[in-house]
Amino acid sequence: MAADSKGMRGRQTVRDMVLSMLAVGFVVWIGYLFLPHDANGDPVHEVAYKVETSTARRAAPYPVLSPEGLSDKWRATSVSYKPADQNNGRGNAWHLGFVTPSGQYAAVEQSDVPRDSLLAAYVTGAKPDGTAEVAGRAWDRVQGEKARALTVQTGPGTTLLTGTASYEELTELAQALK
Protein backbone atom coordinates (compact mmCIF):
# COMPACT_ATOMS: atom_id res chain seq x y z
CA MET A 1 0.00 0.00 0.00
CA ALA A 2 2.89 2.41 0.81
CA ALA A 3 4.47 1.62 -2.57
CA ASP A 4 1.23 2.50 -4.39
CA SER A 5 1.12 5.78 -2.49
CA LYS A 6 4.71 6.69 -3.54
CA GLY A 7 3.99 5.89 -7.20
CA MET A 8 0.81 7.94 -7.13
CA ARG A 9 2.65 10.90 -5.57
CA GLY A 10 5.33 10.71 -8.30
CA ARG A 11 2.72 10.83 -11.06
CA GLN A 12 0.96 13.77 -9.35
CA THR A 13 4.24 15.69 -9.13
CA VAL A 14 4.93 15.25 -12.86
CA ARG A 15 1.31 16.07 -13.72
CA ASP A 16 1.42 19.20 -11.52
CA MET A 17 4.69 20.30 -13.12
CA VAL A 18 3.25 19.89 -16.65
CA LEU A 19 0.09 21.82 -15.68
CA SER A 20 2.23 24.60 -14.16
CA MET A 21 4.32 24.83 -17.35
CA LEU A 22 1.17 25.06 -19.46
CA ALA A 23 -0.19 27.83 -17.22
CA VAL A 24 3.08 29.80 -17.44
CA GLY A 25 3.23 29.26 -21.22
CA PHE A 26 -0.31 30.59 -21.56
CA VAL A 27 0.54 33.74 -19.58
CA VAL A 28 3.66 34.33 -21.73
CA TRP A 29 1.63 33.84 -24.93
CA ILE A 30 -0.99 36.37 -23.78
CA GLY A 31 1.79 38.84 -22.89
CA TYR A 32 3.36 38.39 -26.33
CA LEU A 33 0.05 39.21 -28.02
CA PHE A 34 -0.17 42.58 -26.25
CA LEU A 35 3.45 43.69 -26.71
CA PRO A 36 4.17 45.84 -29.76
CA HIS A 37 6.45 44.05 -32.21
CA ASP A 38 6.70 45.75 -35.56
CA ALA A 39 9.21 43.86 -37.67
CA ASN A 40 9.05 46.54 -40.37
CA GLY A 41 9.72 49.44 -37.97
CA ASP A 42 12.89 51.53 -38.13
CA PRO A 43 15.23 50.56 -35.28
CA VAL A 44 17.23 53.81 -35.54
CA HIS A 45 16.58 56.21 -32.67
CA GLU A 46 17.30 59.73 -33.91
CA VAL A 47 18.58 62.50 -31.63
CA ALA A 48 18.63 66.28 -31.98
CA TYR A 49 22.08 67.82 -31.70
CA LYS A 50 21.73 71.61 -32.17
CA VAL A 51 21.57 72.43 -28.43
CA GLU A 52 24.46 70.09 -27.58
CA THR A 53 26.51 71.66 -30.38
CA SER A 54 25.97 75.15 -28.95
CA THR A 55 26.89 73.97 -25.46
CA ALA A 56 30.03 72.21 -26.69
CA ARG A 57 31.11 75.27 -28.69
CA ARG A 58 31.03 77.37 -25.52
CA ALA A 59 32.98 74.80 -23.49
CA ALA A 60 35.57 73.33 -25.87
CA PRO A 61 39.07 74.79 -26.24
CA TYR A 62 38.94 74.13 -30.00
CA PRO A 63 36.41 75.01 -32.73
CA VAL A 64 33.64 72.41 -32.44
CA LEU A 65 32.41 71.32 -35.86
CA SER A 66 28.89 70.22 -36.65
CA PRO A 67 27.31 69.54 -40.05
CA GLU A 68 24.86 71.93 -41.64
CA GLY A 69 22.83 71.18 -44.74
CA LEU A 70 23.05 67.38 -44.78
CA SER A 71 20.05 65.67 -46.34
CA ASP A 72 17.37 64.10 -44.15
CA LYS A 73 18.85 60.71 -45.07
CA TRP A 74 21.68 61.45 -42.60
CA ARG A 75 20.19 60.54 -39.23
CA ALA A 76 21.94 61.62 -36.03
CA THR A 77 21.96 58.79 -33.48
CA SER A 78 24.33 59.96 -30.74
CA VAL A 79 25.79 63.19 -29.43
CA SER A 80 27.98 64.09 -26.46
CA TYR A 81 30.60 66.50 -25.17
CA LYS A 82 32.85 65.47 -22.30
CA PRO A 83 35.24 67.94 -20.70
CA ALA A 84 38.72 66.63 -19.96
CA ASP A 85 38.10 66.34 -16.20
CA GLN A 86 35.20 63.94 -16.87
CA ASN A 87 36.80 61.97 -19.70
CA ASN A 88 39.33 59.65 -18.02
CA GLY A 89 42.35 61.58 -19.31
CA ARG A 90 41.20 61.52 -22.94
CA GLY A 91 40.94 65.28 -23.31
CA ASN A 92 37.93 67.41 -24.16
CA ALA A 93 35.89 65.22 -26.51
CA TRP A 94 33.06 66.05 -28.93
CA HIS A 95 31.14 63.17 -30.54
CA LEU A 96 28.33 63.22 -33.09
CA GLY A 97 27.26 59.92 -34.67
CA PHE A 98 25.11 59.30 -37.76
CA VAL A 99 23.54 56.56 -39.79
CA THR A 100 24.43 57.49 -43.37
CA PRO A 101 22.13 57.34 -46.41
CA SER A 102 23.64 53.93 -47.31
CA GLY A 103 22.91 52.60 -43.80
CA GLN A 104 26.52 52.75 -42.58
CA TYR A 105 27.89 54.56 -39.52
CA ALA A 106 29.81 57.83 -39.57
CA ALA A 107 30.90 59.98 -36.64
CA VAL A 108 32.51 63.32 -35.99
CA GLU A 109 35.09 62.87 -33.23
CA GLN A 110 37.00 65.91 -32.00
CA SER A 111 39.46 66.15 -29.15
CA ASP A 112 42.48 68.05 -27.96
CA VAL A 113 44.51 64.85 -27.49
CA PRO A 114 47.27 64.10 -30.02
CA ARG A 115 46.07 62.90 -33.43
CA ASP A 116 47.66 59.45 -33.09
CA SER A 117 45.91 58.88 -29.74
CA LEU A 118 42.55 59.80 -31.24
CA LEU A 119 43.14 57.53 -34.24
CA ALA A 120 44.18 54.63 -31.99
CA ALA A 121 40.97 55.03 -29.98
CA TYR A 122 38.64 54.96 -32.99
CA VAL A 123 40.35 53.19 -35.91
CA THR A 124 41.89 49.84 -35.04
CA GLY A 125 44.85 49.00 -37.27
CA ALA A 126 44.95 52.49 -38.81
CA LYS A 127 47.15 52.80 -41.91
CA PRO A 128 47.64 55.94 -44.04
CA ASP A 129 45.59 55.80 -47.27
CA GLY A 130 46.38 59.05 -49.07
CA THR A 131 44.60 62.39 -48.78
CA ALA A 132 41.27 63.90 -49.75
CA GLU A 133 40.73 67.51 -50.74
CA VAL A 134 37.61 68.85 -49.01
CA ALA A 135 36.59 72.50 -49.28
CA GLY A 136 40.15 73.60 -50.00
CA ARG A 137 41.64 71.66 -47.10
CA ALA A 138 43.67 68.43 -47.24
CA TRP A 139 42.34 65.66 -45.01
CA ASP A 140 44.40 62.53 -44.33
CA ARG A 141 42.65 59.31 -45.30
CA VAL A 142 43.16 56.39 -42.92
CA GLN A 143 42.05 52.79 -43.42
CA GLY A 144 41.60 50.48 -40.44
CA GLU A 145 40.61 46.85 -40.03
CA LYS A 146 36.87 47.58 -39.83
CA ALA A 147 36.59 51.35 -40.13
CA ARG A 148 38.09 54.18 -42.10
CA ALA A 149 38.62 57.85 -41.32
CA LEU A 150 39.37 61.31 -42.57
CA THR A 151 41.39 63.43 -40.17
CA VAL A 152 42.62 67.02 -40.01
CA GLN A 153 44.13 69.31 -37.40
CA THR A 154 41.70 72.08 -36.39
CA GLY A 155 43.55 74.58 -34.23
CA PRO A 156 44.45 72.98 -30.91
CA GLY A 157 42.17 70.03 -31.67
CA THR A 158 42.03 67.08 -34.01
CA THR A 159 38.95 66.34 -36.10
CA LEU A 160 38.34 62.73 -37.05
CA LEU A 161 35.49 61.58 -39.28
CA THR A 162 35.28 57.85 -38.84
CA GLY A 163 33.07 54.82 -39.21
CA THR A 164 32.08 52.10 -41.62
CA ALA A 165 30.88 54.68 -44.14
CA SER A 166 32.67 54.99 -47.47
CA TYR A 167 35.26 57.70 -48.08
CA GLU A 168 32.65 59.38 -50.32
CA GLU A 169 30.16 59.63 -47.45
CA LEU A 170 32.86 60.78 -45.02
CA THR A 171 33.82 63.46 -47.57
CA GLU A 172 30.18 64.55 -47.82
CA LEU A 173 30.11 64.85 -44.02
CA ALA A 174 33.38 66.83 -44.06
CA GLN A 175 31.97 69.25 -46.65
CA ALA A 176 28.97 69.96 -44.38
CA LEU A 177 31.04 70.76 -41.27
CA LYS A 178 30.80 74.33 -40.03
Side-chain angles (χ1 to χ4, degrees), residues 5-174:
S5 175
K6 279 187 178 179
M8 184 69 133
R9 240 182 301 154
R11 282 191 295 266
Q12 285 177 338
T13 303
V14 170
R15 183 187 64 127
D16 290 344
M17 181 178 66
V18 169
L19 290 174
S20 295
M21 288 174 54
L22 287 173
V24 168
F26 179 74
V27 169
V28 168
W29 180 70
I30 293 295
Y32 175 77
L33 289 177
F34 289 102
L35 288 176
H37 44 279
D38 183 8
N40 297 326
D42 187 359
V44 175
H45 175 71
E46 291 187 56
V47 298
Y49 59 91
K50 300 288 186 210
V51 172
E52 288 84 353
T53 300
S54 295
T55 302
R57 285 181 173 153
R58 286 191 300 274
Y62 49 82
V64 168
L65 299 175
S66 178
E68 293 179 13
L70 285 175
S71 77
D72 291 343
K73 293 180 181 178
W74 285 80
R75 298 178 296 163
T77 58
S78 57
V79 61
S80 66
Y81 176 76
K82 293 183 183 173
D85 61 348
Q86 297 174 9
N87 202 19
N88 299 325
R90 290 184 279 177
N92 298 285
W94 166 244
H95 162 82
L96 181 55
F98 290 91
V99 172
T100 70
S102 70
Q104 296 298 311
Y105 181 72
V108 178
E109 305 291 351
Q110 285 186 280
S111 181
D112 51 2
V113 298
R115 176 185 178 270
D116 292 339
S117 297
L118 195 60
L119 270 172
Y122 291 100
V123 185
T124 304
K127 302 272 189 254
D129 193 23
T131 60
E133 189 74 22
V134 181
R137 178 183 248 172
W139 291 66
D140 293 326
R141 289 172 42 148
V142 179
Q143 181 64 53
E145 294 169 11
K146 295 181 181 178
R148 64 190 51 82
L150 295 177
T151 182
V152 70
Q153 198 68 33
T154 49
T158 300
T159 300
L160 180 71
L161 306 182
T162 187
T164 58
S166 66
Y167 282 127
E168 290 77 21
E169 286 182 316
L170 292 176
T171 300
E172 183 180 346
L173 180 57

